[in-house]
Amino acid sequence: MPNDTSLNLKILVLGESHATAISRAAEELSLETIKAFDVRRGSPSKKFCRDQYSSLKPEVLVLAFGGTEHNIVGLIEADPKFDFYWPPFSDYCSDRHLLPASALEELLRHRIRSGLDRALDARSAFDCPAFALAPPPPFRKVDEMTLLPSAFSGLLEAGITPAPIRRKLYAMGCALMREAYASHGIPLIEAPTAALDEDGYLHRHLWGRDPTHGNHRYGSLVLDRLSEEAINA
């Protein structure tokens, strides 16, 4: 949490769980002018409390709220198992139930709304340019050592949805985030390309405590991306 003294920052990142990787990277690199906070920590309501951040004077605000919606919709296999068409991806598994992309868009758009509202509340507390941050890319596969978020622990018997389908859901989620934030004049910064393997999945060495979050090494790549896009905007 911020201290009580006024602090001029180049970049302030406010968000939820995905802000942690950036916070750890900034601390490891001893970056005094870049701070990142999971706003739920230290807040009695587990929500953004503007009084806790009133001392911070950032040049750029980055919003990292929500971001797990594509996992909620598609991390665990559904019944019936589904696939969908989503250009530019051409893959489709013909032995699965075909869902219209528009139905999945509507479901994701509804789920993204909550994180957007929380982000806009935080954005209203600062008079500076603002950006939104895309979540970490999907993982390719898990093994017996992989730990998944506790929210999914009771569902794992159904299995993990194949990676190509999760990759399309991630792309769809980012497209909808970009659209939603753009309607409020906030550009979306994509995940760093250096974090992706040749097929668009998050490199194994960049996983955080589970494969749906990035670690401090991923956070460092995000900081490089923020410096390129946010500071130079």
Side-chain angles (χ1 to χ4, degrees), residues 78-118:
D79 185 16
K81 296 178 180 179
F82 70 87
D83 201 346
F84 63 102
Y85 291 110
W86 182 259
F89 301 104
S90 59
D91 54 272
Y92 173 72
C93 188
S94 60
D95 62 353
R96 287 175 166 259
H97 184 73
L98 175 63
L99 282 184
S102 59
L104 291 167
E105 284 179 324
E106 192 61 30
L107 178 57
L108 275 173
R109 189 176 285 110
H110 172 73
R111 287 195 170 276
I112 286 169
R113 183 73 222 181
S114 177
L116 174 65
D117 288 344
R118 297 192 300 275

Short mmCIF file of all heavy atoms in Angstrom, two decimals, residues 78-118:
data_model
loop_
_atom_site.label_atom_id
_atom_site.label_comp_id
_atom_site.label_asym_id
_atom_site.label_seq_id
_atom_site.Cartn_x
_atom_site.Cartn_y
_atom_site.Cartn_z
N ALA A 78 -16.85 -27.93 -20.86
CA ALA A 78 -18.29 -27.79 -20.67
C ALA A 78 -18.99 -29.07 -21.11
O ALA A 78 -18.40 -29.96 -21.72
CB ALA A 78 -18.81 -26.60 -21.48
N ASP A 79 -20.25 -29.16 -20.80
CA ASP A 79 -21.10 -30.27 -21.26
C ASP A 79 -22.32 -29.69 -21.97
O ASP A 79 -23.17 -29.08 -21.32
CB ASP A 79 -21.53 -31.12 -20.06
CG ASP A 79 -22.31 -32.36 -20.49
OD1 ASP A 79 -22.25 -32.71 -21.69
OD2 ASP A 79 -22.99 -32.95 -19.62
N PRO A 80 -22.40 -29.82 -23.29
CA PRO A 80 -21.50 -30.58 -24.16
C PRO A 80 -20.21 -29.82 -24.45
O PRO A 80 -20.16 -28.60 -24.33
CB PRO A 80 -22.33 -30.75 -25.43
CG PRO A 80 -23.18 -29.52 -25.47
CD PRO A 80 -23.54 -29.24 -24.04
N LYS A 81 -19.19 -30.56 -24.82
CA LYS A 81 -17.93 -29.94 -25.21
C LYS A 81 -18.15 -29.13 -26.48
O LYS A 81 -18.81 -29.59 -27.40
CB LYS A 81 -16.87 -31.01 -25.43
CG LYS A 81 -16.53 -31.79 -24.16
CD LYS A 81 -15.51 -32.87 -24.43
CE LYS A 81 -15.19 -33.63 -23.14
NZ LYS A 81 -14.20 -34.71 -23.36
N PHE A 82 -17.59 -27.93 -26.52
CA PHE A 82 -17.88 -27.03 -27.63
C PHE A 82 -16.62 -26.51 -28.31
O PHE A 82 -15.52 -26.58 -27.78
CB PHE A 82 -18.71 -25.84 -27.14
CG PHE A 82 -17.97 -24.87 -26.27
CD1 PHE A 82 -17.23 -23.83 -26.83
CD2 PHE A 82 -17.98 -25.00 -24.88
CE1 PHE A 82 -16.53 -22.93 -26.04
CE2 PHE A 82 -17.28 -24.10 -24.08
CZ PHE A 82 -16.55 -23.07 -24.66
N ASP A 83 -16.84 -25.98 -29.49
CA ASP A 83 -15.83 -25.22 -30.20
C ASP A 83 -16.57 -24.14 -30.98
O ASP A 83 -17.81 -24.13 -31.02
CB ASP A 83 -15.02 -26.12 -31.14
CG ASP A 83 -13.66 -25.51 -31.51
OD1 ASP A 83 -13.45 -24.31 -31.25
OD2 ASP A 83 -12.82 -26.24 -32.06
N PHE A 84 -15.82 -23.22 -31.58
CA PHE A 84 -16.44 -22.12 -32.32
C PHE A 84 -15.44 -21.57 -33.34
O PHE A 84 -14.24 -21.81 -33.24
CB PHE A 84 -16.90 -21.01 -31.38
CG PHE A 84 -15.79 -20.34 -30.61
CD1 PHE A 84 -15.30 -19.08 -30.98
CD2 PHE A 84 -15.22 -20.95 -29.50
CE1 PHE A 84 -14.28 -18.46 -30.28
CE2 PHE A 84 -14.19 -20.33 -28.79
CZ PHE A 84 -13.73 -19.08 -29.18
N TYR A 85 -15.95 -20.86 -34.30
CA TYR A 85 -15.09 -20.22 -35.30
C TYR A 85 -14.76 -18.80 -34.84
O TYR A 85 -15.64 -18.05 -34.42
CB TYR A 85 -15.81 -20.16 -36.65
CG TYR A 85 -15.99 -21.50 -37.32
CD1 TYR A 85 -17.24 -22.09 -37.43
CD2 TYR A 85 -14.89 -22.19 -37.84
CE1 TYR A 85 -17.40 -23.32 -38.05
CE2 TYR A 85 -15.04 -23.43 -38.45
CZ TYR A 85 -16.30 -23.98 -38.56
OH TYR A 85 -16.46 -25.20 -39.17
N TRP A 86 -13.46 -18.46 -34.94
CA TRP A 86 -13.04 -17.11 -34.57
C TRP A 86 -11.82 -16.72 -35.41
O TRP A 86 -10.69 -17.02 -35.07
CB TRP A 86 -12.70 -17.05 -33.08
CG TRP A 86 -12.30 -15.68 -32.61
CD1 TRP A 86 -11.03 -15.22 -32.38
CD2 TRP A 86 -13.15 -14.57 -32.36
NE1 TRP A 86 -11.05 -13.90 -31.99
CE2 TRP A 86 -12.34 -13.47 -31.97
CE3 TRP A 86 -14.54 -14.39 -32.42
CZ2 TRP A 86 -12.86 -12.23 -31.65
CZ3 TRP A 86 -15.05 -13.14 -32.09
CH2 TRP A 86 -14.22 -12.09 -31.72
N PRO A 87 -12.05 -16.07 -36.56
CA PRO A 87 -10.91 -15.62 -37.38
C PRO A 87 -10.03 -14.66 -36.57
O PRO A 87 -10.55 -13.92 -35.72
CB PRO A 87 -11.59 -14.89 -38.54
CG PRO A 87 -12.99 -15.43 -38.56
CD PRO A 87 -13.33 -15.71 -37.14
N PRO A 88 -8.71 -14.66 -36.80
CA PRO A 88 -8.02 -15.35 -37.90
C PRO A 88 -7.66 -16.79 -37.60
O PRO A 88 -6.98 -17.42 -38.41
CB PRO A 88 -6.76 -14.50 -38.05
CG PRO A 88 -6.44 -14.08 -36.65
CD PRO A 88 -7.79 -13.83 -36.01
N PHE A 89 -8.08 -17.34 -36.47
CA PHE A 89 -7.78 -18.73 -36.16
C PHE A 89 -8.66 -19.64 -37.01
O PHE A 89 -9.89 -19.48 -37.04
CB PHE A 89 -8.01 -19.02 -34.68
CG PHE A 89 -7.18 -18.16 -33.77
CD1 PHE A 89 -7.74 -17.09 -33.08
CD2 PHE A 89 -5.82 -18.40 -33.61
CE1 PHE A 89 -6.99 -16.29 -32.25
CE2 PHE A 89 -5.05 -17.60 -32.78
CZ PHE A 89 -5.63 -16.55 -32.10
N SER A 90 -8.04 -20.59 -37.68
CA SER A 90 -8.78 -21.47 -38.58
C SER A 90 -9.09 -22.83 -37.98
O SER A 90 -9.77 -23.65 -38.58
CB SER A 90 -7.98 -21.67 -39.88
OG SER A 90 -6.70 -22.24 -39.61
N ASP A 91 -8.57 -23.10 -36.77
CA ASP A 91 -8.78 -24.41 -36.18
C ASP A 91 -10.23 -24.59 -35.71
O ASP A 91 -10.87 -23.66 -35.22
CB ASP A 91 -7.82 -24.61 -35.00
CG ASP A 91 -7.91 -23.49 -33.97
OD1 ASP A 91 -7.20 -22.50 -34.15
OD2 ASP A 91 -8.71 -23.60 -33.02
N TYR A 92 -10.71 -25.79 -35.87
CA TYR A 92 -12.05 -26.15 -35.38
C TYR A 92 -12.11 -27.66 -35.25
O TYR A 92 -11.71 -28.40 -36.17
CB TYR A 92 -13.15 -25.66 -36.32
CG TYR A 92 -14.52 -26.17 -35.91
CD1 TYR A 92 -15.15 -25.67 -34.77
CD2 TYR A 92 -15.14 -27.20 -36.61
CE1 TYR A 92 -16.37 -26.16 -34.36
CE2 TYR A 92 -16.37 -27.70 -36.21
CZ TYR A 92 -16.98 -27.17 -35.09
OH TYR A 92 -18.19 -27.66 -34.67
N CYS A 93 -12.61 -28.15 -34.11
CA CYS A 93 -12.72 -29.58 -33.85
C CYS A 93 -14.13 -30.03 -34.19
O CYS A 93 -15.10 -29.69 -33.50
CB CYS A 93 -12.40 -29.87 -32.38
SG CYS A 93 -12.30 -31.62 -32.01
N SER A 94 -14.27 -30.81 -35.26
CA SER A 94 -15.58 -31.15 -35.81
C SER A 94 -16.39 -32.10 -34.94
O SER A 94 -17.61 -32.24 -35.14
CB SER A 94 -15.43 -31.75 -37.21
OG SER A 94 -14.63 -32.93 -37.16
N ASP A 95 -15.76 -32.79 -33.98
CA ASP A 95 -16.53 -33.71 -33.13
C ASP A 95 -17.06 -33.02 -31.88
O ASP A 95 -17.59 -33.68 -30.97
CB ASP A 95 -15.70 -34.93 -32.75
CG ASP A 95 -14.46 -34.58 -31.93
OD1 ASP A 95 -14.17 -33.37 -31.76
OD2 ASP A 95 -13.77 -35.52 -31.47
N ARG A 96 -16.97 -31.69 -31.83
CA ARG A 96 -17.51 -30.91 -30.73
C ARG A 96 -18.77 -30.17 -31.16
O ARG A 96 -18.99 -29.95 -32.35
CB ARG A 96 -16.46 -29.92 -30.21
CG ARG A 96 -15.34 -30.57 -29.45
CD ARG A 96 -14.26 -29.58 -29.04
NE ARG A 96 -13.40 -30.18 -28.05
CZ ARG A 96 -13.47 -29.94 -26.74
NH1 ARG A 96 -14.34 -29.06 -26.28
NH2 ARG A 96 -12.68 -30.56 -25.90
N HIS A 97 -19.54 -29.76 -30.16
CA HIS A 97 -20.75 -29.00 -30.43
C HIS A 97 -20.36 -27.60 -30.91
O HIS A 97 -19.55 -26.93 -30.30
CB HIS A 97 -21.58 -28.89 -29.15
CG HIS A 97 -22.89 -28.21 -29.32
ND1 HIS A 97 -23.96 -28.79 -29.96
CD2 HIS A 97 -23.30 -26.97 -28.94
CE1 HIS A 97 -24.98 -27.94 -29.96
NE2 HIS A 97 -24.60 -26.83 -29.35
N LEU A 98 -20.92 -27.18 -32.04
CA LEU A 98 -20.61 -25.87 -32.59
C LEU A 98 -21.46 -24.81 -31.90
O LEU A 98 -22.69 -24.84 -31.95
CB LEU A 98 -20.89 -25.85 -34.09
CG LEU A 98 -20.72 -24.48 -34.78
CD1 LEU A 98 -19.27 -24.00 -34.68
CD2 LEU A 98 -21.16 -24.56 -36.24
N LEU A 99 -20.78 -23.87 -31.25
CA LEU A 99 -21.46 -22.72 -30.65
C LEU A 99 -21.25 -21.50 -31.52
O LEU A 99 -20.15 -21.29 -32.04
CB LEU A 99 -20.92 -22.43 -29.25
CG LEU A 99 -21.38 -23.30 -28.09
CD1 LEU A 99 -20.80 -22.77 -26.78
CD2 LEU A 99 -22.88 -23.36 -27.99
N PRO A 100 -22.27 -20.68 -31.69
CA PRO A 100 -22.06 -19.43 -32.43
C PRO A 100 -21.15 -18.49 -31.64
O PRO A 100 -21.32 -18.33 -30.42
CB PRO A 100 -23.47 -18.86 -32.58
CG PRO A 100 -24.28 -19.51 -31.51
CD PRO A 100 -23.67 -20.86 -31.26
N ALA A 101 -20.20 -17.89 -32.33
CA ALA A 101 -19.28 -16.98 -31.66
C ALA A 101 -20.03 -15.83 -31.00
O ALA A 101 -19.62 -15.35 -29.93
CB ALA A 101 -18.26 -16.43 -32.66
N SER A 102 -21.15 -15.42 -31.58
CA SER A 102 -21.92 -14.31 -31.02
C SER A 102 -22.44 -14.62 -29.63
O SER A 102 -22.54 -13.73 -28.78
CB SER A 102 -23.07 -13.93 -31.95
OG SER A 102 -23.93 -15.04 -32.15
N ALA A 103 -22.79 -15.89 -29.38
CA ALA A 103 -23.27 -16.28 -28.04
C ALA A 103 -22.14 -16.17 -27.02
O ALA A 103 -22.35 -15.70 -25.89
CB ALA A 103 -23.83 -17.69 -28.08
N LEU A 104 -20.95 -16.62 -27.39
CA LEU A 104 -19.81 -16.52 -26.49
C LEU A 104 -19.41 -15.06 -26.28
O LEU A 104 -19.03 -14.67 -25.17
CB LEU A 104 -18.63 -17.32 -27.05
CG LEU A 104 -18.83 -18.84 -27.02
CD1 LEU A 104 -17.78 -19.52 -27.88
CD2 LEU A 104 -18.79 -19.37 -25.59
N GLU A 105 -19.50 -14.26 -27.33
CA GLU A 105 -19.22 -12.83 -27.20
C GLU A 105 -20.15 -12.18 -26.18
O GLU A 105 -19.72 -11.39 -25.33
CB GLU A 105 -19.38 -12.13 -28.54
CG GLU A 105 -18.25 -12.35 -29.51
CD GLU A 105 -18.50 -11.64 -30.82
OE1 GLU A 105 -19.66 -11.57 -31.27
OE2 GLU A 105 -17.53 -11.14 -31.42
N GLU A 106 -21.42 -12.52 -26.25
CA GLU A 106 -22.38 -11.93 -25.33
C GLU A 106 -22.09 -12.34 -23.90
O GLU A 106 -22.19 -11.53 -22.96
CB GLU A 106 -23.80 -12.35 -25.73
CG GLU A 106 -24.91 -11.59 -25.02
CD GLU A 106 -24.85 -10.10 -25.30
OE1 GLU A 106 -24.39 -9.71 -26.40
OE2 GLU A 106 -25.25 -9.30 -24.42
N LEU A 107 -21.72 -13.60 -23.70
CA LEU A 107 -21.40 -14.09 -22.36
C LEU A 107 -20.15 -13.39 -21.82
O LEU A 107 -20.13 -12.92 -20.67
CB LEU A 107 -21.18 -15.60 -22.40
CG LEU A 107 -20.78 -16.28 -21.08
CD1 LEU A 107 -21.80 -16.00 -19.99
CD2 LEU A 107 -20.60 -17.78 -21.30
N LEU A 108 -19.11 -13.30 -22.64
CA LEU A 108 -17.89 -12.63 -22.19
C LEU A 108 -18.10 -11.14 -21.97
O LEU A 108 -17.59 -10.56 -21.01
CB LEU A 108 -16.77 -12.85 -23.22
CG LEU A 108 -15.98 -14.14 -23.09
CD1 LEU A 108 -15.02 -14.29 -24.27
CD2 LEU A 108 -15.20 -14.19 -21.79
N ARG A 109 -18.86 -10.53 -22.84
CA ARG A 109 -19.14 -9.09 -22.68
C ARG A 109 -19.83 -8.82 -21.34
O ARG A 109 -19.52 -7.84 -20.66
CB ARG A 109 -20.00 -8.60 -23.85
CG ARG A 109 -20.17 -7.09 -23.89
CD ARG A 109 -20.94 -6.64 -25.11
NE ARG A 109 -20.14 -6.69 -26.33
CZ ARG A 109 -20.33 -7.55 -27.32
NH1 ARG A 109 -21.29 -8.46 -27.25
NH2 ARG A 109 -19.57 -7.52 -28.39
N HIS A 110 -20.75 -9.68 -20.98
CA HIS A 110 -21.45 -9.54 -19.70
C HIS A 110 -20.47 -9.69 -18.53
O HIS A 110 -20.52 -8.91 -17.56
CB HIS A 110 -22.55 -10.59 -19.60
CG HIS A 110 -23.20 -10.66 -18.25
ND1 HIS A 110 -24.06 -9.71 -17.78
CD2 HIS A 110 -23.08 -11.59 -17.26
CE1 HIS A 110 -24.47 -10.03 -16.56
NE2 HIS A 110 -23.88 -11.16 -16.22
N ARG A 111 -19.56 -10.65 -18.61
CA ARG A 111 -18.63 -10.89 -17.51
C ARG A 111 -17.56 -9.79 -17.41
O ARG A 111 -17.12 -9.44 -16.33
CB ARG A 111 -17.96 -12.26 -17.68
CG ARG A 111 -18.91 -13.42 -17.39
CD ARG A 111 -18.18 -14.72 -17.19
NE ARG A 111 -19.04 -15.76 -16.68
CZ ARG A 111 -19.33 -15.94 -15.40
NH1 ARG A 111 -18.81 -15.12 -14.50
NH2 ARG A 111 -20.13 -16.92 -15.01
N ILE A 112 -17.17 -9.23 -18.54
CA ILE A 112 -16.17 -8.17 -18.55
C ILE A 112 -16.70 -6.90 -17.90
O ILE A 112 -15.94 -6.09 -17.35
CB ILE A 112 -15.70 -7.92 -20.00
CG1 ILE A 112 -14.80 -9.06 -20.46
CG2 ILE A 112 -14.98 -6.57 -20.14
CD1 ILE A 112 -14.50 -9.05 -21.94
N ARG A 113 -18.00 -6.72 -17.93
CA ARG A 113 -18.60 -5.47 -17.45
C ARG A 113 -18.23 -5.16 -16.00
O ARG A 113 -17.95 -4.01 -15.65
CB ARG A 113 -20.12 -5.57 -17.58
CG ARG A 113 -20.87 -4.30 -17.19
CD ARG A 113 -20.68 -3.22 -18.23
NE ARG A 113 -20.46 -1.92 -17.61
CZ ARG A 113 -20.29 -0.79 -18.28
NH1 ARG A 113 -20.29 -0.80 -19.59
NH2 ARG A 113 -20.10 0.34 -17.65
N SER A 114 -18.19 -6.16 -15.14
CA SER A 114 -17.91 -5.93 -13.73
C SER A 114 -16.50 -5.37 -13.53
O SER A 114 -16.30 -4.39 -12.80
CB SER A 114 -18.07 -7.23 -12.94
OG SER A 114 -17.75 -7.05 -11.58
N GLY A 115 -15.50 -5.98 -14.18
CA GLY A 115 -14.14 -5.48 -14.07
C GLY A 115 -13.99 -4.09 -14.67
O GLY A 115 -13.25 -3.26 -14.15
N LEU A 116 -14.70 -3.84 -15.76
CA LEU A 116 -14.68 -2.52 -16.38
C LEU A 116 -15.22 -1.46 -15.42
O LEU A 116 -14.63 -0.38 -15.28
CB LEU A 116 -15.51 -2.53 -17.66
CG LEU A 116 -15.72 -1.18 -18.35
CD1 LEU A 116 -14.40 -0.63 -18.87
CD2 LEU A 116 -16.74 -1.32 -19.49
N ASP A 117 -16.32 -1.77 -14.74
CA ASP A 117 -16.89 -0.80 -13.79
C ASP A 117 -15.91 -0.50 -12.67
O ASP A 117 -15.77 0.67 -12.25
CB ASP A 117 -18.19 -1.35 -13.21
CG ASP A 117 -19.33 -1.34 -14.22
OD1 ASP A 117 -19.22 -0.65 -15.25
OD2 ASP A 117 -20.34 -2.03 -13.96
N ARG A 118 -15.22 -1.51 -12.18
CA ARG A 118 -14.25 -1.29 -11.10
C ARG A 118 -13.08 -0.45 -11.61
O ARG A 118 -12.56 0.42 -10.91
CB ARG A 118 -13.76 -2.63 -10.54
CG ARG A 118 -14.85 -3.47 -9.90
CD ARG A 118 -14.30 -4.63 -9.10
NE ARG A 118 -13.52 -5.57 -9.89
CZ ARG A 118 -14.02 -6.58 -10.59
NH1 ARG A 118 -15.34 -6.77 -10.64
NH2 ARG A 118 -13.22 -7.41 -11.25
#
